[in-house]
Amino acid sequence: MFTNEKAVVVFSGGQDSTTCLFWAKKHFAEVETVTFDYGQRHKQEIEVAAGIARELGVPQTVLDMSLLNQLAPNALTRTDIDITQQEGELPSTFVDGRNLLFLSFAGVLAKQKGARHLITGVCETDFSGYPDCRDSFIKSLNVTLNLSMDYPFVIHTPLMWLNKAETWHMADELKAFEFVRTRTLTCYNGVIGDGCGECPACKLRRAGLEQYLAVRGASSQGVEGHA
């Protein structure tokens, strides 16, 4: 355990944030979650996050961020916008300012609750090119939050340098592999678990899962062969 202090996890109920929640529960004495309702494509995301928080016995706060929907229309907030990605461009699922706003509001909430640790599942390895998932952005925002509230925040990014296969490995090490695989919602089309298999999020998740299962299977065979 890192500390006896409290941590707040930015939580969507997806693979990455749920893995981070298990990570936080292992490393911090007290953990809460914050989920944002920004008019995302399917409300099921909020329901899944609430269900996971209840099952794991973790307090959850849901914040109304509908203003983001108004400011930044995109494929995650509009059903009439297709999920696409053109060569050399950000995918249509990128929401301008999302992580900037989410982490800023999470910081305000955390300070009120006496927590100085913020945990987010962003990563720079499998991130679709989103600029607000980069390590440089997180480090910059960490300094800004500290200065803006005169409070010693620490933003933790357990997945920053992991690919999806390595994220599955982390879930397995945390004894959360089956939970993450069957209970989380990553799919842009709202299908829990393995998802629709067609959207970019599902394809990325599936590719990482298959890669990890291949490695895990080979490792198990190696152990059995030397038994």
Side-chain angles (χ1 to χ4, degrees):
M1 184 177 294
F2 282 145
T3 173
N4 290 324
E5 297 181 25
K6 180 187 292 188
V8 173
V9 179
V10 177
F11 189 58
S12 69
Q15 175 191 1
D16 293 344
S17 65
T18 302
T19 301
C20 284
L21 177 54
F22 276 95
W23 181 89
K25 284 174 64 64
K26 177 180 178 180
H27 290 102
F28 292 93
E30 192 174 351
V31 177
E32 296 197 17
T33 65
V34 58
T35 300
F36 297 96
D37 181 354
Y38 60 100
Q40 47 266 68
R41 197 179 184 101
H42 45 80
K43 291 292 185 182
Q44 193 176 12
E45 177 180 302
I46 299 171
E47 296 169 2
V48 168
I52 292 174
R54 282 195 304 270
E55 183 168 346
L56 297 182
V58 177
Q60 182 197 35
T61 299
V62 179
L63 295 181
D64 179 4
M65 294 290 290
S66 53
L67 177 62
L68 186 57
N69 186 311
Q70 179 184 347
L71 285 172
N74 65 91
L76 287 191
T77 60
R78 298 287 192 279
T79 56
D80 59 346
I81 298 178
D82 292 334
I83 298 173
T84 60
Q85 182 170 13
Q86 302 299 322
E87 184 70 29
E89 297 181 5
L90 288 171
S92 61
T93 52
F94 175 62
V95 184
D96 284 315
R98 182 172 60 171
N99 285 337
L100 170 64
L101 292 175
F102 284 5
L103 285 166
S104 296
F105 278 85
V108 174
L109 176 69
K111 184 179 180 183
Q112 311 315 306
K113 291 180 173 292
R116 70 185 191 92
H117 298 275
L118 300 174
I119 298 161
T120 175
V122 300
C123 82
E124 197 170 310
T125 307
D126 289 330
F127 72 134
S128 301
Y130 292 177
D132 59 358
C133 289
R134 295 173 182 154
D135 186 58
S136 56
F137 163 72
I138 296 296
K139 285 183 167 59
S140 172
L141 183 61
N142 200 152
V143 173
T144 298
L145 285 178
N146 292 2
L147 292 173
S148 68
M149 286 180 266
D150 195 21
Y151 194 74
F153 290 109
V154 180
I155 302 179
H156 301 268
T157 54
L159 311 182
M160 179 57 74
W161 307 114
L162 304 184
N163 60 31
K164 274 292 180 284
E166 291 165 332
T167 300
W168 283 113
H169 183 201
M170 176 184 283
D172 211 356
E173 289 184 323
L174 293 167
K175 304 186 187 310
F177 178 84
E178 287 301 327
F179 187 100
V180 172
R181 183 173 182 180
T182 60
R183 297 292 306 282
T184 61
L185 175 58
T186 302
C187 176
Y188 290 151
N189 292 315
V191 182
I192 296 173
D194 289 337
C196 70
E198 297 299 325
C199 73
C202 283
K203 290 179 179 178
L204 186 61
R205 172 174 166 142
R206 167 59 65 177
L209 176 62
E210 291 177 350
Q211 183 183 349
Y212 174 62
L213 288 177
V215 172
R216 187 170 71 164
S219 177
S220 297
Q221 290 175 5
V223 171
E224 291 171 0
H226 288 85

